[in-house]
Amino acid sequence: MTIDWYFILEKLILISGVLALSLIVAMYSTWGERKVAAVIQDRRGPNRAGPLGLLQPLADGGKLFFKEEIIPASSHRFLFILGPSLAMLVACMTSAVIPWGDTLVIAGQEISLQVADINIGILYIFGVVSLGVYGIMLGGWASNNKYSLLASVRAASQIISYELAMGLSLIALLMLTGSLSLKDIVEQQRHGLWNVVYQPLGFLIFLVCAFAECNRTPFDLPEAENELNGGYHLEYSSMKLGFYLFAEYINMFVSSALMASLYFGGYSFPGMDSLGLPHNVVTILGFLALFLKILVFLFLFMWVRWTIPRFRYDQLMRLGWNVMIPLALLNMLITGAIVLFRQG
Amino acid sequence: MQALTDRVKPVDRRPLTFMEKLYLPAIWKGMAITFKHIFQKKATVSYPEEKRPFSPVFRGLHILNRDEEGRERCTACGLCAVACPAEAITMEAAERKPGEEHLYREEKYAASYEINMLRCIFCGFCEEACPKDAIYLTETFAPANYQRKGFIYGKEDLLIPDPKEKQTV
């Protein structure tokens, strides 16, 4: 068997690029979050470190690195370290199947701007996202602190509950697209209408569930600052805490990318194929279009966070099981009926 | 039960209507409000570059006054220290020697005069108590310091510059 070194190099560069992009976006999401919070509350936000406060994330990161590393004496040392590492790893892994753009043609070689175009892309994402619960659960359990444990139990049950509705809302989408590959789904939208037109209810359910999956307000009970002293990462300090917080922002970034790809045409934009520009330029424009869509979703995440108060836990569970899942089932039923009707 | 005022608002305990149970219209309304605030005037200012004016009755750091000829007005009578509810003021009196008439207005003066700005509550009673118009509160406040002793202001910190010297400069 010969190893295709060129292929490995290409993928390595792409992986580093995607990883760097998600880290940078996550970094500047913290800045963006603070700015959005500030302008919504009639304040100014960080504006001291660098122009517009743009160096603030670096200062924050530096601070986290220099903080004292505290591992509680009664904690399970290995699991305590594994928790944030897993959260971070899983958050980064999801970005592998998202198509960041069409292909680039460099020196006659066609390079796909997607790390892995696997035909079960959506299934992969669901599998990896489900693993994310382990990071939170392990962290809360290993801290040996009842508040952390309580928060991680909350987080686990919340994420599992909303994953169901999320999956069900996606089944309806998959019935329309007939493919689990994200690249196929985006290409279909490139030549037709965006999926959100066919699946408005499905998108709404997916959006709400994405908020719950990312532990964002109004579903941020796992880290409810004023109820649980910070939630599952209560005992964490220094960069291990940073990993947890960072993982949340990467999750936000990836779910924004996912929502943009599934429902809003991904890297395609209207009039993309009739511009008459060279292939590579169109690809880059497509990537920028995707990035813009992602930024809009990130802004939505932040906008909602600084508007809506937190749900009570029983309300959260009731919404998940009594509203979201029946609605998703109904959406699935209607979509299935229409698909069948149009075939017959 | 009889209401005590006419401003009583009974709590609305009606069950939520269908539209309210959807949450989304209310959420949308809230988000419209927060979005509007993005474009509104900021309530805060960029502090060190831009300062809000104090009110005309603001009571800040003290100064020790001089008269028109540049002589210290304080005679170390101690009335300010007596009036001070926080006991922030201490002073030592001394007698004016011949030849020092251009320095001190009367024959007794304060050899040392200290205000502990950590104790001071900036009530302005010292200003009111002073019979010689020697102590005034200004519109500045004590800047931050690394040590407690930096907050004990002596005469050299409190005395205003000599008006005669200032003119020559």
Side-chain angles (χ1 to χ4, degrees):
Chain A
M1 196 185 100
T2 54
I3 302 168
D4 189 354
W5 288 108
Y6 180 79
F7 175 78
I8 290 176
L9 185 73
E10 176 195 315
K11 288 301 175 197
L12 262 181
I13 292 171
L14 199 60
I15 290 170
S16 339
V18 168
L19 210 58
L21 182 77
S22 9
L23 290 180
I24 289 169
V25 169
M27 218 166 87
Y28 276 95
S29 298
T30 63
W31 173 85
E33 175 114 68
R34 293 174 64 182
K35 271 287 188 206
V36 169
V39 291
I40 280 178
Q41 296 170 352
D42 296 343
R43 293 186 286 114
R44 269 154 219 276
N47 60 359
R48 295 287 133 172
L52 290 171
L54 277 174
L55 297 178
Q56 190 66 42
L58 295 175
D60 290 342
K63 186 206 81 171
L64 278 174
F65 269 114
F66 285 112
K67 282 253 172 178
E68 188 187 349
E69 187 94 55
I70 300 167
I71 298 181
S74 57
S75 68
H76 191 299
R77 208 184 152 83
F78 176 68
L79 293 182
F80 192 76
I81 297 169
L82 185 66
S85 323
L86 204 63
M88 191 74 176
L89 183 74
V90 166
C92 292
M93 264 166 74
T94 14
S95 60
V97 291
I98 289 169
W100 299 100
D102 202 0
T103 53
L104 275 178
V105 180
I106 298 169
Q109 288 272 357
E110 207 170 7
I111 298 168
S112 167
L113 284 183
Q114 184 181 15
V115 176
D117 183 14
I118 46 180
N119 56 4
I120 49 160
I122 293 174
L123 220 55
Y124 168 84
I125 285 183
F126 266 83
V128 174
V129 164
S130 313
L131 280 177
V133 186
Y134 283 95
I136 291 172
M137 208 53 214
L138 283 178
W141 172 258
S143 300
N144 202 1
N145 171 322
K146 59 187 166 198
Y147 296 106
S148 302
L149 181 65
L150 217 60
S152 62
V153 170
R154 278 178 165 204
S157 44
Q158 170 186 331
I159 290 176
I160 290 169
S161 306
Y162 278 79
E163 222 156 62
L164 277 174
M166 199 181 207
L168 287 174
S169 74
L170 267 187
I171 288 177
L173 181 73
L174 297 180
M175 283 197 270
L176 287 175
T177 59
S179 170
L180 277 163
S181 156
L182 277 161
K183 179 101 179 170
D184 285 355
I185 293 175
V186 173
E187 283 297 322
Q188 282 173 11
Q189 293 176 79
R190 183 174 174 173
H191 303 298
L193 282 170
W194 287 354
N195 281 333
V196 69
V197 181
Y198 303 116
Q199 285 285 324
L201 183 62
F203 168 67
L204 199 66
I205 295 167
F206 192 88
L207 182 72
V208 173
C209 293
F211 275 82
E213 292 285 304
C214 294
N215 293 333
R216 293 286 298 185
T217 322
F219 309 110
D220 64 340
L221 288 122
E223 40 195 283
E225 300 92 347
N226 31 20
E227 293 161 39
L228 292 164
N229 287 342
Y232 56 86
H233 46 57
L234 173 60
E235 295 285 359
Y236 283 89
S237 57
S238 186
M239 208 52 204
K240 290 210 281 293
L241 173 70
F243 266 28
Y244 268 130
L245 304 182
F246 227 64
E248 186 189 315
Y249 282 101
I250 296 180
N251 274 331
M252 257 167 72
F253 174 60
V254 172
S255 23
S256 300
L258 196 60
M259 279 189 283
S261 300
L262 288 175
Y263 291 98
F264 285 87
Y267 56 76
S268 71
F269 54 90
M272 188 184 188
D273 298 312
S274 52
L275 281 174
L277 290 166
H279 182 70
N280 282 355
V281 177
V282 171
T283 301
I284 290 166
L285 280 179
F287 170 71
L288 291 180
L290 175 64
F291 205 70
L292 187 74
K293 289 168 192 172
I294 291 171
L295 288 185
V296 170
F297 274 114
L298 282 177
F299 175 71
L300 183 73
F301 270 103
M302 291 164 188
W303 183 12
V304 166
R305 171 161 182 196
W306 296 104
T307 304
I308 307 173
R310 189 177 295 138
F311 272 99
R312 213 169 54 210
Y313 203 74
D314 63 319
Q315 291 172 333
L316 173 95
M317 279 296 157
R318 187 168 302 140
L319 186 74
W321 289 96
N322 289 1
V323 181
M324 284 300 163
I325 291 178
L327 262 184
L329 282 172
L330 183 75
N331 185 44
M332 201 170 93
L333 211 67
I334 295 171
T335 314
I338 291 173
V339 167
L340 266 183
F341 180 74
R342 286 180 56 177
Q343 276 176 354
Chain B
M1 203 180 85
Q2 201 196 341
L4 293 173
T5 64
D6 55 353
R7 284 174 299 179
V8 172
K9 261 191 180 170
V11 178
D12 189 357
R13 292 196 194 280
R14 278 173 303 173
L16 296 180
T17 62
F18 178 71
M19 279 307 273
E20 283 168 331
K21 269 186 190 158
L22 280 181
Y23 292 130
L24 287 173
I27 287 175
W28 190 245
K29 220 164 90 185
M31 286 175 73
I33 290 171
T34 45
F35 195 76
K36 216 166 58 198
H37 273 267
I38 293 176
F39 307 104
Q40 278 178 3
K41 195 178 162 286
K42 306 269 172 279
T44 51
V45 295
S46 302
Y47 166 62
E49 294 94 44
E50 195 184 335
K51 283 178 183 161
R52 276 189 217 282
F54 288 128
S55 95
V57 291
F58 182 84
R59 297 189 298 257
L61 275 185
H62 314 67
I63 50 153
L64 283 175
N65 215 358
R66 294 177 193 267
D67 66 2
E68 316 77 58
E69 292 162 47
R71 300 177 298 187
E72 290 175 23
R73 299 190 81 113
C74 180
T75 61
C77 64
L79 281 176
C80 49
V82 171
C84 184
E87 297 183 359
I89 304 177
T90 50
M91 68 187 75
E92 269 167 41
E95 204 171 328
R96 184 178 68 185
K97 306 238 162 43
E100 289 181 336
E101 284 86 357
H102 66 290
L103 288 176
Y104 311 111
R105 190 182 162 95
E106 294 178 36
E107 50 265 35
K108 191 173 147 235
Y109 71 95
S112 82
Y113 190 99
E114 285 180 350
I115 302 180
N116 186 341
M117 292 302 170
L118 292 174
R119 293 197 68 118
C120 180
I121 58 170
F122 301 97
C123 60
F125 282 5
C126 45
E127 190 180 12
E128 280 177 35
C130 187
K132 299 289 182 188
D133 283 349
I135 188 161
Y136 279 102
L137 268 59
T138 59
E139 286 192 6
T140 54
F141 48 84
N145 209 304
Y146 287 105
Q147 282 162 325
R148 276 164 185 263
K149 66 179 179 213
F151 286 104
I152 297 170
Y153 281 48
K155 251 175 91 173
E156 63 281 3
D157 306 306
L158 295 167
L159 263 178
I160 60 166
D162 194 328
K164 281 184 299 177
E165 275 176 33
K166 218 177 177 183
Q167 271 163 20
T168 54
V169 173

